Amino acid sequence: MKSLIQYITERVKDLPKSITGLIVFDIDDTLLKSNPATIGIYKKEPGKPEKRLTTEEFAKDPDAGDPSKKSWFDYREFNDPVKVYNSIISGTPLIRNLRIMDDYIEAGYEFCFLTARSCEETIKKALNDFLKVKKTDGALQELGDIFNKTLSHAINDSSKQYPGSSDAEKKANVLRKLCSKYDRVVFVDDDRKNVIAARELNLPNLKVIKAWDN
């Protein structure tokens, strides 16, 4: 694995004008770390008391990716638009991963998100208010048209249906479609299950990056 110093010194090459590029980011523990007090997932394992998990604990829970245990998890706080918005706005930016975003945007890539959350429209508004891109001269600016909201997806949004038996499979299916629209797609996610599923697509125009965890 490359050190952070090695990464910073390797600038992403600018896209030729004839080539389209898209940088796709997960949200929780990738773009930002939510304050555990603002939002969480409830695990109701049979025979045990209900337990509230942070997004980081959920990502590491061995039962979270098992379709047969999907009913054990309650995402009620993620269906509350107010909690969803506040969890993003009050989140802690993960600077190492945001540097990846900055580099690809500076090189000419568009940005979108791909998250296992729900409340897709609320997330679009929250990230639009939360995210800024840092230019090579150090200046911060809003994403503006670089943020492709049309191609951004919250795969557990109650108003939509995404094919797949698990969140990892759903994300992989979305990435397959995005790769049919863009010449180059880069996907950044902290969850090992999602990273593996994306890599197993074996798409020549898809680069998968395991996010830094802090």
Side-chain angles (χ1 to χ4, degrees):
M1 181 181 292
K2 296 177 182 178
S3 70
L4 178 59
I5 294 175
Q6 286 175 310
Y7 171 77
I8 291 174
T9 57
E10 293 180 1
R11 188 180 181 280
V12 178
K13 293 182 179 179
D14 291 343
L15 285 175
K17 291 184 178 180
S18 59
I19 300 296
T20 58
L22 182 69
I23 178 82
V24 185
F25 261 84
D26 173 49
I27 296 176
D28 291 292
D29 305 311
T30 301
L31 277 176
L32 57 91
K33 190 174 289 292
S34 297
N35 182 335
T38 62
I39 202 161
I41 303 101
Y42 292 85
K43 183 177 182 180
K44 298 186 291 186
E45 186 174 352
K48 294 185 179 181
E50 184 176 71
K51 180 182 179 182
R52 189 177 186 275
L53 305 175
T54 66
T55 56
E56 185 175 8
E57 290 170 338
F58 174 76
K60 295 177 180 178
D61 191 295
D63 298 319
D66 186 341
S68 68
K69 298 176 181 177
K70 188 174 182 179
S71 63
W72 291 11
F73 297 92
D74 185 327
Y75 305 91
R76 57 184 179 269
E77 293 187 0
F78 283 85
N79 292 314
D80 183 329
V82 174
K83 282 185 175 290
V84 169
Y85 183 86
N86 289 337
S87 71
I88 290 174
I89 290 300
S90 66
T92 302
L94 294 176
I95 302 302
R96 288 182 176 184
N97 299 326
L98 288 174
R99 283 177 178 152
I100 298 174
M101 183 192 77
D102 290 340
D103 284 356
Y104 276 95
I105 289 176
E106 186 74 9
Y109 286 70
E110 293 179 34
F111 166 87
C112 75
F113 65 79
L114 177 57
T115 178
R117 286 188 180 224
S118 56
C119 293
E120 188 173 290
E121 293 305 314
T122 300
I123 293 171
K124 289 176 183 178
K125 184 178 187 308
L127 282 184
N128 193 65
D129 295 342
F130 177 83
L131 284 178
K132 301 288 187 295
V133 62
K134 190 172 186 178
K135 310 293 284 183
T136 52
D137 61 4
L140 291 174
Q141 70 175 47
E142 295 182 353
L143 293 184
D145 293 340
I146 295 169
F147 185 178
N148 192 320
K149 297 181 178 67
T150 302
L151 296 182
S152 293
H153 297 281
I155 58 172
N156 288 303
D157 189 293
S158 59
S159 67
K160 299 183 178 182
Q161 287 191 338
Y162 289 89
S165 61
S166 66
D167 288 346
E169 188 177 344
K170 290 177 182 179
K171 283 193 172 187
N173 287 332
V174 171
L175 287 170
R176 185 183 288 109
K177 289 185 178 181
L178 294 178
C179 286
S180 70
K181 299 176 183 291
Y182 282 79
D183 299 313
R184 298 177 188 173
V185 176
V186 180
F187 175 53
V188 186
D189 198 304
D190 70 295
D191 192 320
R192 184 172 178 271
K193 297 185 292 295
N194 298 332
V195 169
I196 290 173
R199 286 176 176 163
E200 287 180 344
L201 291 171
N202 291 317
L203 296 172
N205 62 331
L206 175 63
K207 179 178 181 178
V208 182
I209 298 175
K210 175 71 166 59
W212 296 92
D213 57 7
N214 58 55

